[in-house]
Amino acid sequence: MTPVLFDRALLRARLVRAQAAGAADFLLTRAVEDICDRLSTIKRDFARVLDLGTPGPHLAQALAAPGRTVWRAAPRPALVGAGSFIPVVSDEEALPFAGESFDLIVSGLSLQHVNDLPGLLAQARRCLKPDGLFLAALIGGQTLSELRVALAQAEVEVSGGASPRVAPFADVRDLGGLLQRAGFALPVADTDVLSVRYGHPFRLFADLRAMGATNALTQRSRKPTPRRLMMRAAEIYAERFADSDGRVRATFEILFMSGWAPHESQQKPLKPGSARMRLEDALKAARKD
């Protein structure tokens, strides 16, 4: 049975509230720009596109183009929004689409909060036409490393123990294997790490609330967080992770993963023993040159 790490109902409620208040979207903007840049290098048309769960219409709107139909799926009507796309109310973990429905499936900063990522990838693979592309950006494991340290130390000092407060995000080394396991061909995974500086740790805390990205782990403590714990965490953060000018750093990692639905036209690895030159002979020839 797949472990339930995230309280997805709570996540949805926080995302709705964040979008209504004007979510902090600098990470999402960066992810959307990078996804669009990557797609611009692929010389082919994607007539039927699905934006899967991106928090906000940024990506679906960016991909809207003449001759292209874009669907946008999100788990609540308030999260789907309206624009130059077809809205679909759907949980990312239970896609309602028929097999081979899309030429392209994209997702921006949503999949880090699904409980069954391997299962979702398998569904996405089923929904792609042969030679269709899956391309997603999600939050990676280096994200908020400083905050993890500060919160853990503060909680030990204040409460005598630590509880889960920052999500266990994916590692880039795992993504290629997950794509292969789901049946994708030509899997690729890479990472973009950025450091954002704040005048005070509480500005970071405010941004996380404005993203709807505060603690939604099922194993989180249900007790109200003591103010003195957050005050002490901010002190530790400033002591350990401040630059010479007093501003503090926050690390964010965005992982990118892509894979293609198999098709006979795609490159395939050579069969073992089919090489025309032995590696030893090739190395000897290179040394002579």
Side-chain angles (χ1 to χ4, degrees), residues 146-147 149-155 157-158 199-205 226-243 246-249:
E146 303 89 353
L147 181 58
V149 171
L151 282 173
Q153 183 177 333
E155 196 157 23
E157 293 180 13
V158 172
H200 192 278
F202 277 105
R203 290 303 308 151
L204 166 63
F205 303 163
R227 177 174 174 78
R228 61 195 180 102
L229 189 155
M230 297 308 296
M231 294 296 292
R232 180 57 183 143
E235 291 173 357
I236 295 168
Y237 203 120
E239 291 166 3
R240 299 191 56 176
F241 303 109
D243 292 330
R247 297 177 69 83
V248 298
R249 303 180 305 278

Side-chain angles (χ1 to χ4, degrees), residues 48-53 70-74 86-92 94-102 105 123-124 126-128:
R48 295 170 62 87
V49 178
L50 171 64
D51 173 8
L52 179 56
V70 179
W71 283 258
R72 173 166 155 68
I86 299 172
V88 179
V89 178
S90 168
D91 191 293
E92 297 98 320
L95 302 185
F97 307 104
E100 301 187 7
S101 292
F102 302 104
I105 297 177
Q123 292 186 66
R126 177 186 62 81
C127 291
L128 280 172

Side-chain angles (χ1 to χ4, degrees), residues 82-116:
S84 303
F85 49 79
I86 299 172
V88 179
V89 178
S90 168
D91 191 293
E92 297 98 320
E93 295 185 316
L95 302 185
F97 307 104
E100 301 187 7
S101 292
F102 302 104
D103 303 293
L104 171 66
I105 297 177
V106 293
S107 182
L109 303 192
S110 170
L111 304 189
Q112 68 273 1
H113 287 138
V114 300
N115 287 307
D116 184 11

Side-chain angles (χ1 to χ4, degrees), residues 123-140:
Q123 292 186 66
R125 160 68 186 84
R126 177 186 62 81
C127 291
L128 280 172
K129 296 179 181 180
D131 207 29
L133 175 64
F134 173 80
L135 175 58
L138 61 161
I139 297 298

Side-chain angles (χ1 to χ4, degrees), residues 162-178:
S163 63
R165 291 189 177 275
V166 181
F169 299 125
D171 189 287
V172 67
R173 293 169 295 185
D174 300 327
L175 297 185
L178 289 175

